Amino acid sequence: MNHALRNIRVHIPVINFALLLRVIGLLLMIESVFLLLPLVTCLYYHEADWKAFLITFGATLGSGAAMSFGIHPRSSSMGKREGFLLTGLVWVFFSLFGMLPFMLASEAPLSVSDAFFESMSGFTTTGATIMTSIAHLSHGAIVWRSLMQWIGGMGIILFTLAVIPMLNHSGGMQMFNAEVTGITHDKLRPRISQTAKSLWLIYITLTVVLYVLLLVGPMGKFDALCYAFSIMSTGGFATSDAGLNLWNSDYIEAVTTVFMFIGGVSFTLIYRAVHRDFRAVWNNDVFRTYLAIIGVCYAAFVVNILSRGQMTSIKSVTLDPLFQIVSMISSTGFELADFGQWGTFSLSIVFFLMFFGACAGSTSGGAKIDRLIYMLKNCRNEIDRCVHPNNILTVRVNGRVIPHETVSKVIAFLCLYMLIIVVGGMVLTAMGLPLIDSFFGTFTCISNTGLGAGVTGYGGTFAIVPDPGKWLLALIMLTGRLELFTILIIFTPSFWKK
């Protein structure tokens, strides 16, 4: 009898795959709704790509419906394993179906590798592209690129938790923690679904405000909509090859700077500010460090520009360096036309900004300022222990003592972050890519910034990368967006053992 029971327990599945597929089906049906915007856009502009988006809409909706209504899981419970796996799979499925319009495009259709790279870059708000020019793209394709970034900016799972209440009781907290950037996560409301709705409401409201402000300037309705999506998500996709330089507008540059800065702030703090809890915002150590880093880097940029004799106007030492700093620290990746002429010192500052990014809980990429603070305070404690080994020293952030386990996790994260850059760069060099492109390409993808370097040109494309390298970089983008552990844990043997 006992032997029989043991055999039964051995065959109990570790992961509820039926439930995962059913939930993914629901999400694909939601993605199909988003596909209606580029479809309508193509019809409005009388573009042939409406067929590509119609086919994609049908395939996404049909597949989602088949998975959602055709699969009946025996259990509706979702544990930590399901939460991690679902979070990672959703981004992959969204990218797989999101790439179809690029493959079915009427002009210059992309290969499978190129289309998946472009789609993953969009959803992870990386902004890297394999296209040397986007002049041939239809209005529908351009708005879909920006919309992908907007969806991924706040998070696919977070949107799901807001619209599918059933997940609030079934692994909602695990998925919330797996997707939202940061070390620790605070619920704004008693239920996860309420927190998700509050965050998405703020996100949508800011996007609408940005759209209106861009319309007040020289932008038309179409460009304003696309840039509202890509700026608020800190993604960085443009609507033309010239990017924001097309308008040469101080107003647009200033508005973009402000909203890229907001995109780099934790949306939990924005929620506090909306509810007039300004003291909580100002007393936040991470927010004040965010401001301090921008201020110090701005001063360094100005000194560098002046020492090189490149001051051509007041704007060249005021708005221009501030725009570039905020663009990089928020991982948006917009570039000024003359940025490449500012020299290697400015580029070294950019590396630092790209590495750490902005605040946790924002739409920005990078390792996050929160981890920088934890690391520096822990390093200071270790230095003090060299002189006073018996002292009990703690890492204190925002007036709270941080558990040693959390500090250890931060150190492990930063080590893995560097290790991925090194290993990824080495693998790309083995594929024949130049040294600078290999390491900088990996760096820019894991930080979700999207810049190119070396022979790809400053801000150039990733068309030079061979197909296996594009799939590798797509995985690195996803790993960076979901903050390493969510993806890396799936590749560990212990994850699949009961």
Side-chain angles (χ1 to χ4, degrees):
M1 181 67 178
N2 292 333
H3 179 72
L5 289 175
R6 282 197 298 269
N7 288 338
I8 292 174
R9 284 196 293 269
V10 168
H11 290 91
I12 293 176
V14 176
I15 297 174
N16 191 345
F17 286 104
L19 179 62
L20 292 182
L21 292 175
R22 184 167 184 265
V23 175
I24 290 174
L26 289 172
L27 298 179
L28 289 178
M29 293 172 68
I30 293 175
E31 183 180 16
S32 70
V33 175
F34 284 111
L35 282 162
L36 292 176
L37 178 58
L39 172 59
V40 171
T41 302
C42 285
L43 292 173
Y44 178 81
Y45 286 99
H46 305 289
E47 295 171 329
D49 274 359
W50 70 268
K51 297 178 182 178
F53 283 103
L54 181 61
I55 294 172
T56 304
F57 168 77
T60 308
L61 180 62
S63 300
M67 295 167 66
S68 179
F69 301 113
I71 298 176
H72 304 284
R74 295 182 178 180
S75 172
S76 60
S77 63
M78 184 179 295
K80 288 185 178 180
R81 286 186 176 90
E82 286 83 1
F84 281 116
L85 193 57
L86 176 62
T87 303
L89 285 176
V90 163
W91 288 77
V92 173
F93 271 83
F94 263 56
S95 298
L96 287 172
F97 283 90
M99 74 180 186
L100 295 180
F102 301 118
M103 297 175 60
L104 302 172
S106 57
E107 292 187 27
L110 300 181
S111 65
V112 174
S113 298
D114 288 352
F116 184 78
F117 180 93
E118 198 77 14
S119 182
M120 182 62 77
S121 175
F123 281 114
T124 57
T125 72
T126 303
T129 181
I130 51 84
M131 299 182 188
T132 55
S133 172
I134 60 172
H136 67 281
L137 293 180
S138 64
H139 287 78
I142 290 174
V143 77
W144 178 234
R145 293 172 90 231
S146 299
L147 183 57
M148 284 191 297
Q149 293 193 323
W150 188 76
I151 297 169
M154 183 53 66
I156 299 171
I157 290 296
L158 198 64
F159 180 82
T160 306
L161 294 172
V163 299
I164 305 181
M166 61 170 276
L167 294 180
N168 189 73
H169 304 286
S170 183
M173 193 64 192
Q174 286 82 5
M175 290 185 290
F176 179 81
N177 290 331
E179 183 180 67
V180 176
T181 62
I183 306 165
T184 58
H185 307 103
D186 298 323
K187 291 196 298 182
L188 302 176
R189 307 284 293 277
R191 297 165 65 88
I192 288 296
S193 60
Q194 293 174 334
T195 297
K197 289 176 182 177
S198 297
L199 293 175
W200 264 95
L201 180 60
I202 293 172
Y203 189 55
I204 293 171
T205 302
L206 288 171
T207 305
V208 172
V209 172
L210 175 57
Y211 172 70
V212 173
L213 290 175
L214 291 175
L215 273 182
V216 174
M219 276 193 188
K221 294 179 180 178
F222 175 79
D223 290 307
L225 178 64
C226 292
Y227 275 109
F229 287 151
S230 62
I231 292 172
M232 199 63 248
S233 64
T234 64
F237 273 152
T239 60
S240 68
D241 294 336
L244 291 174
N245 296 309
L246 177 66
W247 289 276
N248 193 25
S249 168
D250 295 348
Y251 172 79
I252 289 179
E253 191 173 329
V255 170
T256 301
T257 303
V258 170
F259 279 85
M260 287 190 300
F261 172 83
I262 294 174
V265 177
S266 169
F267 274 76
T268 300
L269 289 183
I270 297 176
Y271 177 88
R272 306 291 185 201
V274 168
H275 290 80
R276 301 183 179 181
D277 188 5
F278 300 109
R279 178 173 295 182
V281 177
W282 179 246
N283 290 337
N284 186 272
D285 292 340
V286 178
F287 179 72
R288 288 190 294 182
T289 305
Y290 181 41
L291 291 175
I293 290 174
I294 292 176
V296 171
C297 291
Y298 170 74
F301 262 55
V302 171
V303 170
N304 181 56
I305 293 172
L306 292 175
S307 65
R308 294 172 63 87
Q310 293 178 325
M311 177 181 172
T312 56
S313 63
I314 296 297
K315 177 173 172 285
S316 66
V317 291
T318 52
L319 183 57
D320 284 355
L322 187 60
F323 171 89
Q324 200 61 68
I325 289 167
V326 175
S327 175
M328 294 307 172
I329 196 171
S330 66
S331 76
T332 309
F334 286 137
E335 296 174 61
L336 295 170
D338 57 351
F339 171 54
Q341 303 173 6
W342 289 355
T344 54
F345 177 66
S346 295
L347 184 60
S348 67
I349 297 176
V350 166
F351 288 168
F352 170 80
L353 297 174
M354 287 173 58
F355 186 93
F356 284 104
C359 307
S362 67
T363 59
S364 70
K368 304 297 182 298
I369 294 174
D370 307 55
R371 293 189 175 92
L372 172 64
I373 295 174
Y374 283 41
M375 179 189 69
L376 291 178
K377 291 193 174 186
N378 185 65
C379 289
R380 181 195 61 191
N381 289 347
E382 293 302 321
I383 293 173
D384 289 344
R385 285 193 183 97
C386 294
V387 181
H388 306 287
N390 295 325
N391 282 6
I392 299 176
L393 303 172
T394 59
V395 173
R396 187 179 295 270
V397 179
N398 296 325
R400 294 183 296 182
V401 175
I402 306 302
H404 178 71
E405 294 77 10
T406 303
V407 177
S408 298
K409 187 175 181 180
V410 167
I411 296 173
F413 178 96
L414 294 174
C415 291
L416 285 171
Y417 198 83
M418 289 293 297
L419 188 60
I420 290 173
I421 295 174
V422 172
V423 174
M426 292 175 64
V427 173
L428 290 179
T429 57
M431 296 180 185
L433 259 69
L435 185 67
I436 294 177
D437 291 85
S438 298
F439 284 91
F440 191 79
T442 305
F443 177 35
T444 194
C445 284
I446 196 172
S447 65
N448 300 131
T449 306
L451 293 179
V455 292
T456 57
Y458 221 17
T461 76
F462 286 75
I464 182 179
V465 181
D467 286 350
K470 291 169 185 172
W471 288 96
L472 173 63
L473 290 176
L475 175 61
I476 290 174
M477 286 185 228
L478 180 60
T479 304
R481 172 59 182 83
L482 297 181
E483 303 229 308
L484 310 192
F485 294 113
T486 301
I487 297 299
L488 294 181
I489 194 174
I490 298 175
F491 294 97
T492 61
S494 60
F495 179 81
W496 302 96
K497 295 178 181 179
K498 187 175 180 182

